């Protein structure tokens, strides 16, 4: 599979180059060009197939010539000590629970694969440094995924006050390969610094600097795997259409679903579930995109006013606007409905959804009610992206239920000291990196 920039199709690069460079020199974001048809591989998989097996089966044909079956198997085994879980509720709904990783959020799936595949691709070769801006969770997920990876260092940039949940034994200098740096500024400063350092080729090349933010196609592509997993688990029983309902913030997850569909997964549609921050709804219905101001809600991970994957989504719509309008159904869910649905789902199915999953569930119900599809009722897979324990207060408010924090997630709150504290300038960041390594 080759990648091009969303802004030009002149230069094509391999998966490895897209992963290691992260941003195309000519501007824009990397998107896959060739479309792989994986359908023949679906026959070999069924309800007994576990997640690492699925990943090891589909990664070699997707990354043709770059990852052989042995490497793919090694990557899948070392990335996935946790699995997605498909929970069928009834004829109409299933949940795809994606919160069993180390931080209780679906982002663990992309980050874990990125770290494992990066180690494999850099084998016997050069070193790599993966740098990311984080308010907390991405950093924790990265520290877990990158710890002790050969030839790779992970550098985490935190805004003031938000560093937590790491183990100092994993830090560079204490025998580890993790460098947490606190930036005296905001999260936006951290994100800006990541882009600036990647673009400073003279500094970045010798260190092999790339990022694990969702700009990186090496993190986005593996998110397609859990959509395939849901399909494989359900395929024998499907009678009508298959839809996915995805809670959308930066729209990376939705785009990964569209990739899975491009790879041959027979889905009939995707529900783009948003909270009150729904500036994208108009765009998905064919209007120009006009960002709104940010509205705080009970589903904070979806509070995004300008989704960072805008260009990737746009490139789907530029290719085939009519197809996309028949594939992607936007829905905006307000806080009151979100809380009501949490209560309703608990009473009806005995399942506690976190507010992000609840937004997706409510959006699925709304879209089903407004679409009269012929024949059989469609089946909707609702993506449960966050562990309920992370939003225990909201769940208690909505359902009256008390959620106990699993010990594994308890460490997320632990406070600690960074290895360096810097001013929000590129020079300061480069100086800190040079002195830590
Ligand atoms: C990040 C996040 C989302 C949004 O995913 P995008 O890929 O940014 O659209 C949804 N739910 C949870 C719990 C998240 O952490």
């Amino acid at each position: 599979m080759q990648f091009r920039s969303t802004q030009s199709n002149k230069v094509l690069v391999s998966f490895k180059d897209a992963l290691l460079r992260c941003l195309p020199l000519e501007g824009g974001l990397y998107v896959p060009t060739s479309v792989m048809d994986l359908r023949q591989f679906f026959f070999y998989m069924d309800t007994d197939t576990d997640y690492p097996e699925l990943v090891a089966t589909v990664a070699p044909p997707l990354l043709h010539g770059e990852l052989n079956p042995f490497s793919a198997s090694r990557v899948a085994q070392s990335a996935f000590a946790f699995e997605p879980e498909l929970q069928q509720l009834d004829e109409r709904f299933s949940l795809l629970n994606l919160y069993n990783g180390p931080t209780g959020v679906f982002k663990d799936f992309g980050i874990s694969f990125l770290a494992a595949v990066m180690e494999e691709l850099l084998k016997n070769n050069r070193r790599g440094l993966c740098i990311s801006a984080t308010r907390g969770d991405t950093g924790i997920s990265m520290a877990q995924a990158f710890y002790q990876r050969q030839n790779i260092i992970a550098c985490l940039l935190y805004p003031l006050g938000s560093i937590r949940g790491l183990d100092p034994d994993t830090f560079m200098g204490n025998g580890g390969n993790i460098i947490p740096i606190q930036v005296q500024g905001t999260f936006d400063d951290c994100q800006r610094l990541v882009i600036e350092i990647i673009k400073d080729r003279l500094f970045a090349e010798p260190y092999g600097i790339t990022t694990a933010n969702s700009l990186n196609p090496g993190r986005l592509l593996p998110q397609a795997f859990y959509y395939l997993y849901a399909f494989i688990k359900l395929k024998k029983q499907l009678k009508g259409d298959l839809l996915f309902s995805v809670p959308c913030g930066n729209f990376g997850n939705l785009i990964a679903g569209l990739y899975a569909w491009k790879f041959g997964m027979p889905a009939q549609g995707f529900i783009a579930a948003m909270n009150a921050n729904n500036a994208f709804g108009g765009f998905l219905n064919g209007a120009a995109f006009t960002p709104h101001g940010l509205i705080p809600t009970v589903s904070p991970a979806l509070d995004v006013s300008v989704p960072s994957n805008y260009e990737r989504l746009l490139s789907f719509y530029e290719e085939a606007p009519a197809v996309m309008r028949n594939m992607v159904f936007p829905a905006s869910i307000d806080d009151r409905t979100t809380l009501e649905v949490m209560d309703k789902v608990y009473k009806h199915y005995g399942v506690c959804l976190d507010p992000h999953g609840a937004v997706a569930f409510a959006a699925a119900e709304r879209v089903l009610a407004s679409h009269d599809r012929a024949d059989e009722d469609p089946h909707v897979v609702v993506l449960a992206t966050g562990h309920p324990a992370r939003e225990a207060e909201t769940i208690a408010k909505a359902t009256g239920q008390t959620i106990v924090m699993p010990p594994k997630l308890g460490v997320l709150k632990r406070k600690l000291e960074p290895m360096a504290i810097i001013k929000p300038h590129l020079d300061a960041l480069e100086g800190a990196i040079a002195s830590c390594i």
Side-chain angles (χ1 to χ4, degrees):
M1 178 184 296
Q2 293 191 298
F3 288 78
R4 67 170 175 88
S5 159
T6 46
Q7 292 180 4
S8 144
N9 47 19
K10 291 211 184 73
V11 188
L12 300 184
V13 302
S14 63
F15 173 71
K16 179 177 175 179
D17 285 344
L19 182 154
L20 294 179
R21 276 187 213 156
C22 198
L23 290 174
L25 288 172
E26 55 286 15
L29 297 175
Y30 279 122
V31 285
T33 51
S34 40
V35 177
M36 252 329 282
D37 187 344
L38 294 175
R39 274 177 296 183
Q40 55 173 310
F41 299 95
F42 299 160
F43 292 114
Y44 305 116
M45 295 187 275
D46 56 26
T47 45
D48 293 335
T49 308
D50 67 23
Y51 197 60
E53 276 177 284
L54 178 140
V55 173
T57 306
V58 298
L62 272 182
L63 304 176
H64 185 68
E66 294 193 70
L67 205 63
N68 66 42
F70 297 109
S71 302
S73 184
R74 209 161 30 228
V75 168
Q77 293 294 343
S78 92
F80 298 115
F82 50 95
E83 293 215 1
E85 176 199 6
L86 187 85
Q87 185 179 8
Q88 211 167 335
L89 298 180
D90 58 22
E91 292 277 294
R92 295 163 70 209
F93 296 110
S94 292
L95 298 175
L96 181 60
N97 297 327
L98 297 172
Y99 48 67
N100 294 323
T103 66
V105 178
F106 78 100
K107 295 178 180 80
D108 289 329
F109 282 91
I111 292 173
S112 231
F113 182 86
L114 173 71
V117 81
M118 196 169 159
E119 181 177 53
E120 189 70 28
L121 294 174
L122 287 175
K123 218 168 209 175
N124 312 325
N125 197 338
R126 28 196 268 225
R127 57 183 179 166
L129 191 155
C130 199
I131 184 166
S132 275
T134 167
R135 286 191 195 90
D137 291 352
T138 305
I140 298 165
S141 186
M142 279 184 65
Q144 305 248 3
F146 280 88
Y147 180 49
Q148 289 188 325
R149 295 270 174 210
Q150 296 287 314
N151 297 332
I152 307 179
I153 293 165
C155 177
L156 315 172
L157 293 188
Y158 293 84
L160 272 177
S162 63
I163 172 166
R164 56 186 164 82
L166 304 182
D167 178 355
D169 289 344
T170 64
F171 291 2
M172 195 109 187
N174 299 346
N177 59 336
I178 311 294
I179 307 179
I181 297 178
Q182 181 170 291
V183 176
Q184 293 173 319
T186 61
F187 179 66
D188 287 341
D189 288 317
C190 298
Q191 278 195 304
R192 171 181 51 80
L193 285 172
V194 167
I195 299 204
E196 282 178 11
I197 201 165
I198 292 174
K199 290 192 167 163
D200 183 1
R201 297 273 153 184
L202 229 52
F203 184 85
E205 294 274 347
Y207 287 103
I209 293 183
T210 186
T211 166
N213 284 134
S214 63
L215 303 171
N216 197 325
R219 174 173 160 190
L220 199 55
L221 192 71
Q223 289 182 236
F225 301 154
Y226 51 68
Y227 286 90
L228 301 177
Y229 183 82
F231 165 68
I232 297 294
K233 297 280 147 173
L234 282 168
K235 68 175 180 175
K236 282 225 178 78
Q237 321 162 33
L238 284 175
K239 298 196 196 85
D241 287 352
L242 172 65
L243 305 177
F244 287 88
S245 187
V246 187
C248 294
N250 277 311
F251 279 72
N253 208 358
L254 182 79
I255 286 168
L258 291 169
Y259 288 154
W261 166 69
K262 278 210 148 186
F263 302 153
M265 178 183 71
Q268 279 67 36
F270 294 86
I271 297 161
M274 290 163 280
N275 59 26
N277 296 285
N278 66 343
F280 245 39
F283 167 77
L284 297 172
N285 282 327
F289 171 53
T290 22
H292 307 170
L294 206 68
I295 305 165
T297 71
V298 296
S299 44
L302 313 184
D303 296 351
V304 175
S305 65
V306 184
S308 58
N309 281 296
Y310 172 63
E311 285 199 45
R312 285 195 174 109
L313 203 61
L314 192 64
S315 83
F316 267 104
Y317 278 78
E318 280 168 354
E319 265 173 41
V323 177
M324 293 315 296
R325 269 198 281 288
N326 286 309
M327 276 303 283
V328 182
F329 313 111
S332 163
I333 304 297
D334 62 27
D335 277 357
R336 211 192 65 193
T337 311
T338 306
L339 298 177
E340 279 170 9
V341 162
M342 288 165 82
D343 190 38
K344 199 171 82 181
V345 168
Y346 179 71
K347 292 212 170 91
H348 198 77
Y349 302 107
V351 171
C352 281
L353 280 176
D354 98 316
H356 308 91
V359 166
F361 199 96
E365 284 191 316
R366 185 174 304 167
V367 170
L368 283 192
S370 68
H371 278 244
D372 61 325
R373 288 170 171 263
D375 315 333
E376 299 281 349
D377 274 342
H379 190 79
V380 188
V381 176
V382 175
L383 271 57
T385 47
H387 196 292
R390 300 171 51 94
E391 300 284 349
E393 261 175 52
T394 311
I395 290 178
K397 196 167 125 195
T399 68
Q401 296 303 305
T402 313
I403 307 272
V404 181
M405 181 67 87
K408 170 179 97 172
L409 296 182
V411 302
L412 302 185
K413 292 213 161 72
R414 186 174 54 201
K415 288 236 162 53
L416 59 136
E417 290 300 311
M419 278 182 69
I421 300 176
I422 62 165
K423 295 225 154 24
H425 305 307
L426 184 61
D427 288 344
L429 176 59
E430 292 180 350
I433 288 177
S435 71
C436 283
I437 294 174

